[in-house]
């Protein structure tokens, strides 16, 4: 009897793990091969969330977010911004690669747009899609709004808030949530104030939540900056925002 119960439990556990697998989806930008990841509920008609990873490419934080979003009833797709063979292996390479896309923001917006197409092909309802991003990906979330990509809203999680001030402030259609750590030294007061002006000039529906006693990568459990309490609050705020705009 006990053996039967254990076997049943093992089968259930295996099925649960299988349901949480992320499937690789290969796509292209010209000749550059890109390898994203999609949740196992792809193929259903559900709201979708595009996840833009941090500066080293697809990482555990992005994967964990995708699996958690799947449990909330969203199809999640993790974008590959850099492409096969171009994934940074250290901080120096990551700074160079992410810096390139921040400077060449239209190329960044294009890679995001390609990933959005893959999310829609995976079953995401076209008018119920949001973008969330961590660090460099948080910058990408803001670029999704700046490029007026077809999304309902964006969440920038400890993203860089600065941008080239020679760029003109344009209308911003997507709703915007910025989750900003209070002690992020990479965000200057000017960056913060310029973003607010940009969002106001763009007549955006926006909000900024600032998390006390939190440094740059405060949501990443593997980071020395990790703040468990604030990370949990930030995730709750993300889910609340997604529920509002996608349900």
């Amino acid at each position: 009897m006990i053996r039967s119960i254990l076997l049943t439990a093992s089968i259930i556990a295996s099925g649960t793990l299988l349901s949480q697998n992320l499937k690789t989806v290969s796509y292209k930008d010209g000749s550059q091969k890109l390898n994203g990841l999609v949740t196992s509920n792809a193929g259903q008609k559900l709201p979708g969330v595009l996840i833009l990873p941090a500066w080293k490419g697809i990482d555990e934080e992005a994967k964990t977010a995708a699996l958690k979003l799947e449990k909330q009833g969203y199809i999640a797709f993790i974008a590959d911004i850099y492409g096969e063979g171009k994934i940074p292996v250290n901080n120096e390479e990551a700074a160079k690669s992410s810096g390139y896309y921040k400077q060449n923001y239209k190329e960044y917006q294009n890679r995001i747009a390609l990933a959005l197409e893959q999310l829609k092909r995976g079953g995401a309802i076209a008018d119920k899609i949001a973008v969330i991003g961590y660090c460099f990906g948080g910058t990408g979330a803001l670029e999704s709004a700046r490029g007026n990509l077809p999304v309902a809203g964006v969440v920038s999680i400890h993203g860089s808030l600065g941008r080239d001030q020679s760029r003109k402030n344009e209308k911003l259609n997507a709703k915007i949530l910025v989750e900003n750590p209070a002690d992020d030294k990479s965000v200057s007061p000017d960056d913060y104030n310029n973003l607010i002006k940009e969002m106001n000039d763009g007549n955006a529906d926006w909000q900024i939540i600032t998390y006390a006693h939190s440094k740059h990568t405060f949501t990443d459990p593997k980071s020395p900056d990790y703040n468990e309490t604030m990370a949990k609050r930030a995730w709750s705020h993300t889910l609340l925002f997604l529920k509002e705009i996608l349900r």
Side-chain angles (χ1 to χ4, degrees), residues 27-29 31-36 51-59 78-102 107-108 110-112 114-115 134-140:
Y27 55 112
K28 286 190 173 184
D29 181 4
S31 61
Q32 177 62 59
K33 184 179 180 182
L34 306 165
N35 297 304
I51 301 172
L52 303 178
W55 68 342
K56 286 186 178 177
I58 296 174
D59 57 13
I78 309 175
D80 176 7
I81 298 300
Y82 299 134
E84 187 171 282
K86 296 185 178 180
I87 307 301
V89 298
N90 54 44
N91 289 348
E92 183 180 0
E93 288 187 10
K96 183 178 180 180
S97 297
S98 62
Y100 173 85
Y101 282 99
K102 287 178 183 178
E107 291 186 40
Y108 198 3
N110 181 60
R111 289 279 166 98
I112 296 168
L114 291 172
Y134 296 89
C135 189
F136 168 57
T139 304

